[in-house]
Amino acid sequence: MDASAQNPIASETAARLVLDWYDRNARRLAWRAPPGSPPPDAYRVWLSEVMLQQTTTAVVTPYFERFTARWPRVEELAAAGDSEVMAAWAGLGYYARARNLLACARAVAARGSGFPRTEGELRALPGLGAYTAAAVAAIAFGQRAVVVDGNVERVVARLFAVAEPMPAAKRTLRELADAITPQDRAGDFAQGMMDIGAGVCTPRSPRCEVCPLAGPCRARAEGDPARLPVKAAKPPRPERKGRAWWITRMGPAGREVLLVRRPARGLLGGMATLPDDGWSASHDGQGAPPLAGPWAPCGNVSHVFTHFSLALEVMLYSGRNSPNICALDGEWWPVSRIAEAGLPTLFVRAAQRALAFGGETD
């Protein structure tokens, strides 16, 4: 599609409308520099963009603040241990991001000169896709780059009334975003478009009365902007079943629970969890418990992953200390400090279920 043929508004006019609005209405975010200020450090831009993938600003903000307080520079993050970073990431979800985060931090530290400045060089770093590379190039380094996330796609789809269903429309939407991205202040323009999408041109009930692009917006002129972008029907999400095993023993300093470390690659890769029966995205769990019973069911916890949902039954070992328990592979963690173990959300809920059932006592 020829973007210029679709363009109802001159690129200079679109940029001016967005930037004027952004100068007055920019969100204050922990990783952002106010309009007109020197750009933020590339490390902070990159870290925030990785965290914000499929996650809201409200959820990300405390994680970002903890990460930057603990590891203020990319070199310090690069020097951190895998398990240390995975534990700090626990609860943020999409754990492949944390593995990519470490790989990228170590690649940047190895360069010895910080993050590269151009979009192409940024794309060569581990785990940096087109969106993140463009965002860092534009926001941190003032490069002209076309930054297109879900919010920007929605604004552009409505501005140009793109009726082609997603995800096939992504290429068209990027071309149209390119057509209105200015040469100067591309980073502020991108953040302005994101803010318009987040707070004005929202998925439902868009606030057209306060939108800076309301005048030239084709979807508004057609009377139903909320219908765009057109979403493709999602296939049904498979439902899986599994079990998690809560096993405790009396250690030198009090009661301890058995944790295991998942393989570095794959679902929840590198995370500390309770032992489970081998459930996955492709099949129910069917594995035997780590030791013979007695076992007591504590109830179920549920969790929705990207491609499947899981009903996890929590099973509590109700026997006494024995040589078989002491021989189990894993790490014995103090039950009183389970909140510090860095468990992913699913296993936090499983631990809470076991503790509510009496999993801290003999």
Side-chain angles (χ1 to χ4, degrees):
M1 178 182 294
D2 182 355
S4 62
Q6 291 286 318
N7 193 352
I9 180 173
S11 59
E12 296 83 359
T13 303
R16 175 178 51 78
L17 290 172
V18 172
L19 289 169
D20 287 350
W21 180 91
Y22 181 69
D23 287 342
R24 298 189 305 272
N25 299 282
R27 288 181 291 175
R28 294 186 177 184
L29 301 173
W31 46 86
R32 184 182 282 183
S37 302
D41 178 66
Y43 169 60
R44 297 173 68 86
V45 177
W46 162 76
L47 178 62
S48 67
E49 292 297 344
V50 174
M51 288 183 165
L52 285 164
Q53 293 166 14
Q54 299 179 286
T55 312
T56 65
T57 57
V59 171
V60 164
T61 297
Y63 281 88
F64 177 86
E65 291 174 339
R66 287 195 294 269
F67 262 70
T68 51
R70 189 170 182 178
W71 301 296
R73 300 167 60 248
V74 68
E75 293 81 5
E76 291 163 322
L77 179 61
D82 290 29
S83 60
E84 187 181 9
V85 173
M86 296 302 289
W89 190 276
L92 198 52
Y94 302 99
Y95 293 98
R97 293 182 299 171
R99 297 193 293 273
N100 289 335
L101 192 81
L102 264 175
C104 183
R106 289 166 181 167
V108 172
R111 281 170 45 87
S113 57
F115 281 87
R117 299 178 63 88
T118 68
E119 192 174 355
E121 290 175 304
L122 288 161
R123 280 293 304 272
L125 292 171
L128 257 76
Y131 166 77
T132 306
V136 175
I139 298 170
F141 297 120
Q143 304 286 327
R144 187 193 182 277
V146 183
V147 185
V148 183
D149 69 352
N151 283 322
V152 176
E153 285 179 340
R154 183 167 57 256
V155 174
V156 173
R158 291 172 179 174
L159 178 62
F160 295 94
V162 177
E164 183 182 10
M166 299 289 281
K170 283 181 174 290
R171 179 175 178 178
T172 298
L173 296 177
R174 192 188 186 286
E175 291 174 353
L176 293 168
D178 191 359
I180 60 173
T181 297
Q183 189 67 39
D184 298 323
R185 296 189 68 189
D188 282 351
F189 176 80
Q191 291 175 115
M193 290 285 282
M194 294 177 198
D195 283 6
I196 291 168
V200 178
C201 193
T202 52
R204 300 177 182 84
S205 304
R207 301 167 58 218
C208 299
E209 68 280 3
V210 296
C211 180
L213 295 171
C217 181
R218 285 188 173 182
R220 180 174 180 265
E222 292 173 1
D224 188 15
R227 71 182 178 86
L228 299 174
V230 178
K231 302 285 187 173
K234 292 184 179 180
R237 183 182 278 117
E239 298 179 358
R240 304 298 180 203
K241 296 179 181 179
R243 284 179 169 175
W245 317 106
W246 179 267
I247 305 167
T248 64
R249 71 176 187 184
M250 186 56 68
R255 185 149 293 278
E256 302 168 330
V257 61
L258 180 68
L259 301 181
V260 296
R261 184 74 57 180
R262 294 179 73 89
R265 298 294 176 186
L267 192 67
L268 305 179
M271 301 295 293
T273 67
L274 300 177
D276 64 46
D277 64 348
W279 56 266
S280 73
S282 60
H283 57 77
D284 293 343
Q286 298 176 344
L291 74 164
W295 293 96
C298 303
N300 288 355
V301 294
S302 60
H303 191 78
V304 178
F305 292 93
T306 304
H307 301 298
F308 72 104
S309 61
L310 175 70
L312 188 71
E313 185 178 26
V314 184
M315 302 294 292
L316 182 142
Y317 179 72
S318 55
R320 300 286 179 173
N321 278 12
S322 72
N324 289 336
I325 287 184
C326 296
L328 292 173
D329 290 332
E331 176 184 4
W332 291 99
W333 189 272
V335 171
S336 61
R337 294 174 44 225
I338 193 65
E340 303 169 28
L343 301 179
T345 301
L346 167 66
F347 287 95
V348 169
R349 293 173 181 159
Q352 291 169 343
R353 176 72 66 179
L355 290 170
F357 192 80
E360 192 172 5
T361 60
D362 285 314

